[in-house]
Amino acid sequence: MTEPGITFTSQQQKEGILMRDTAPASCVMVIFGATGDLARNKLFPALYGLAAEKKLPDQFEIIGYSHTDRTTESFIAQIRQSLAKKMGQSFSPPVWEMLARRLRYVAGDFGGKEDYDNLAKIIKKIEEEQKTGGSRLFYLATASPFFADILRNLHSSGLIYPVNADRQHPWSRVVIEKPFGTDLESARQLNHLATSILDESQIFRVDHYMAKETVQNILVLRFANAIFEPLWNRSHIDHVQISAAEDMGIGTRGAFYDKTGVVRDVLQNHLMQILALVAMESPVSFKSRDFHDEKSKFFRALRALDAGDLADNVVLGQYSGYRAEKNVESDSETPTFVALKVFIDNWRWQGVPFYIRAGKGLAAKLTEVSIHFRPIPICLFGGVDACQRIHPNVLTMRIQPDEGITLSFACKVPGDHLEVGEVTMDFSYARAFAGKKRTAYERLLLDCMRGDNLLYGRADVIEGQWSFIAPILEDKDGKTAIPVRQYARGSAICQGQ
Ligand code: BG6
């Protein structure tokens, strides 16, 4: 079995793939916030994608739950319309029908106990009629202030139940979207509530970056190859850059974003995840507990930002025109850009700076990690000028778009003189792997139905992330310790821009 650029060993050919996935289990899925942006833009397209690939469980029913009053018919019509618009020519009516016949809508309050009792009756009836086996998946896709109420009501209405001894069917699981809290204290409270009514194995805290192929590939590159890990330390690496630039502004999300800002929206979660994968030690295994244990250890080694020299290590910015966006305060100090320098206090990374940057309203959408190796110790090839042209090697992992990896290195330029130039080796996912890519939300949905929480966040890890960014958040009066500077829309931050 050979794809362009990929060779499988005979053992792998025999096994088909290295780690075989299991089929998702039958269940009823309830989406809270089913009429919101997240459900429309991410969850229903992911469910459609899984339906198209026949990856949904055989016995599977979906209840859209929200406080808006509407009928199942109008709910289904609205989802159909938004999917058809998003997918254009590739929208397939037969696939849609497979999904649509599993859908229904229930209107209810997120805080109203009677509405949950009603929901419980509806679920029981579906379970009897459709033989889904009693397993339930509750997806909290609402704004985060509703999470606590929903959890309490799920518990008090008996909709969730304890894990059974063998952790198999029937199960009840809760998926909680980001942002998980608004600061360390609120994240702790939410964790406390969730873990008082559910076992950790029933809680699935979403960070969709973990489900991106290229983010997971950071681990594969490091731990499935023998040549990188020996260099992956302070002896060979000068510094590391992690950048997540977006060209778009905040669009229609002003009300959410103005209260959230870039630090909570992408630094606390997505970039902290990437940082952990780049810098953590090898887990004992890739079983969920071992992986999260190692990640948790990493956050304990991350040097806390010192309030005394915060301004030397952190920059905050806001793109020009942000304050004129819809639902944004006219004097808003909410940052849309953050850059920071961090250090990791352990043997591997002592003294190696990690530069992390993220922002909206920048030149292009580009997320990448670049590992900058140390310069050569002595130059043999010419005078100062020639030697200055020999740049240190850079290994770049392009998370998105144009997913791939490049390695830059010095090379003799053909000719009669010994001239040194720089070239790159370039691996492209699109060229190497043909076929449809699984989206992050498809993978997340599959995993929670399979009960695999490897790619989801664990309580202590999430608290480690909040704890680290706490000094950059605003105080009780809404002020940050760092001034928020203006930058022009379309500014460049990444190497490629
Ligand atoms: C979301 C943030 O979690 O991630 C958005 O709320 C951001 O503000 C988005 O735009 C970026 O995700 P992706 O997958 O498009 O890089």
Side-chain angles (χ1 to χ4, degrees):
M1 178 167 52
T2 313
E3 301 281 343
I6 309 165
T7 315
F8 290 91
T9 64
S10 55
Q11 179 62 19
Q12 288 159 4
Q13 281 179 21
K14 218 185 306 158
E15 291 175 2
I17 47 176
L18 287 176
M19 293 169 89
R20 189 174 289 282
D21 56 3
T22 50
S26 299
C27 62
V28 173
M29 176 181 187
V30 181
I31 301 177
F32 290 94
T35 55
D37 283 355
L38 181 81
R40 189 172 53 248
N41 296 328
K42 301 286 186 197
L43 299 183
F44 286 113
L47 287 165
Y48 174 96
L50 294 175
E53 284 192 54
K54 303 205 170 25
K55 286 281 183 184
L56 291 177
D58 293 338
Q59 309 307 325
F60 180 57
E61 300 293 313
I62 307 160
I63 299 175
Y65 184 102
S66 192
H67 39 221
T68 339
D69 217 4
R70 68 182 57 185
T71 60
T72 288
E73 290 70 32
S74 72
F75 173 65
I76 291 179
Q78 192 202 29
I79 296 168
R80 185 189 199 283
Q81 192 187 23
S82 91
L83 276 175
K85 187 168 165 212
K86 198 178 172 85
M87 302 185 60
Q89 297 287 332
S90 58
F91 180 78
S92 154
V95 172
W96 163 249
E97 284 311 319
M98 277 199 291
L99 186 63
R101 65 167 182 261
R102 301 164 188 261
L103 282 173
R104 72 200 75 203
Y105 183 75
V106 174
D109 229 39
F110 297 133
K113 169 86 171 69
E114 308 79 53
D115 291 335
Y116 285 80
D117 293 339
N118 177 43
L119 180 63
K121 282 190 205 127
I122 294 171
I123 292 178
K124 283 223 169 70
K125 190 158 180 279
I126 295 174
E127 287 174 343
E128 278 161 24
E129 286 172 6
Q130 305 297 328
K131 311 266 177 292
T132 51
S135 290
R136 299 160 181 185
L137 181 65
F138 298 99
Y139 200 115
L140 277 49
T142 63
S144 57
F146 295 115
F147 294 165
D149 265 354
I150 299 174
L151 283 170
R152 278 192 209 99
N153 279 305
L154 286 176
H155 178 57
S156 61
S157 315
L159 278 159
I160 45 180
Y161 34 78
V163 276
N164 48 31
D166 59 1
R167 294 179 179 249
Q168 297 299 320
H169 234 34
W171 42 257
S172 53
R173 296 178 188 142
V174 180
V175 183
I176 306 176
E177 261 294 338
K178 65 165 274 282
F180 192 90
T182 50
D183 57 13
L184 178 58
E185 192 42 41
S186 57
R188 275 189 182 143
Q189 284 171 11
L190 192 55
N191 271 331
H192 181 72
L193 172 64
T195 52
S196 66
I197 58 179
L198 294 157
D199 183 76
E200 183 66 38
S201 66
Q202 296 174 283
I203 309 168
F204 291 74
R205 301 171 188 82
V206 173
D207 181 331
H208 76 280
Y209 264 54
M210 276 304 297
K212 288 182 188 274
E213 298 283 5
T214 44
V215 172
Q216 292 165 43
N217 193 48
I218 297 171
L219 293 173
V220 175
L221 182 86
R222 290 186 58 195
F223 300 123
N225 294 290
I227 61 170
F228 297 112
E229 211 38 33
L231 305 180
W232 215 259
N233 56 53
R234 64 194 297 275
S235 305
H236 301 281
I237 293 176
D238 182 75
H239 69 276
V240 176
Q241 298 187 21
I242 300 177
S243 310
E246 294 182 81
D247 49 346
M248 278 172 50
I250 55 163
T252 54
R253 299 166 76 215
F256 159 79
Y257 197 89
D258 208 35
K259 283 200 226 78
T260 307
V262 67
V263 176
R264 290 186 176 89
D265 187 40
V266 299
L267 176 65
Q268 180 273 335
N269 35 60
H270 307 331
L271 294 193
M272 287 291 112
Q273 291 296 331
I274 295 180
L275 173 66
L277 300 191
V278 171
M280 67 192 273
E281 297 300 319
S282 160
V284 175
S285 80
F286 272 99
K287 294 209 177 87
S288 180
R289 199 187 70 183
D290 292 335
F291 176 62
H292 288 119
D293 282 352
E294 203 53 58
K295 220 196 238 182
S296 177
K297 204 174 100 193
F298 166 77
F299 282 105
R300 297 206 301 278
L302 190 57
R303 188 183 302 170
L305 292 164
D306 182 357
D309 60 4
L310 213 50
D312 293 339
N313 293 311
V314 183
V315 174
L316 295 177
Q318 185 186 77
Y319 64 78
S320 53
Y322 171 78
R323 291 176 184 176
E325 300 272 25
K326 199 166 163 224
N327 295 327
V328 165
E329 298 290 334
S330 56
D331 58 351
S332 172
E333 287 288 313
T334 299
T336 60
F337 174 84
V338 61
L340 67 163
K341 178 162 81 168
V342 306
F343 289 94
I344 298 150
D345 285 330
N346 59 20
W347 273 59
R348 185 193 282 264
W349 294 120
Q350 194 57 219
V352 178
F354 283 67
Y355 299 97
I356 305 175
R357 298 168 293 197
K360 291 193 184 284
L362 295 164
K365 177 141 175 104
L366 177 65
T367 307
E368 66 178 28
V369 177
S370 54
I371 312 290
H372 295 250
F373 290 91
R374 285 189 179 280
I376 49 174
I378 181 170
C379 173
L380 306 175
F381 306 105
V384 175
D385 273 10
C387 288
Q388 274 174 353
R389 287 202 295 275
I390 302 181
H391 300 299
N393 304 101
V394 181
L395 178 73
T396 303
M397 295 174 254
R398 284 190 309 275
I399 306 295
Q400 60 187 24
D402 191 18
E403 292 80 356
I405 299 174
T406 57
L407 176 65
S408 72
F409 56 95
C411 175
K412 181 182 178 305
V413 178
D416 298 336
H417 307 286
L418 210 158
E419 193 186 337
V420 180
E422 189 181 67
V423 291
T424 50
M425 284 200 295
D426 199 349
F427 154 70
S428 150
Y429 259 87
R431 283 199 302 272
F433 300 95
K436 181 187 177 293
K437 281 188 296 183
R438 179 143 340 287
T439 67
Y441 273 89
E442 288 172 12
R443 175 67 198 267
L444 287 171
L445 286 175
L446 268 184
D447 280 4
C448 61
M449 287 188 260
R450 296 193 285 223
D452 181 353
N453 62 8
L454 179 83
L455 301 180
Y456 286 86
R458 197 171 73 181
D460 53 340
V461 176
I462 295 217
E463 288 176 18
Q465 294 167 202
W466 278 116
S467 170
F468 175 73
I469 62 142
I472 323 176
L473 296 176
E474 64 284 352
D475 60 20
K476 286 193 196 70
D477 303 322
K479 297 264 172 271
T480 52
I482 308 144
V484 179
R485 303 176 201 174
Q486 294 283 307
Y487 60 93
R489 257 197 101 135
S491 302
I493 61 156
C494 287
Q495 288 178 348
Q497 292 182 11

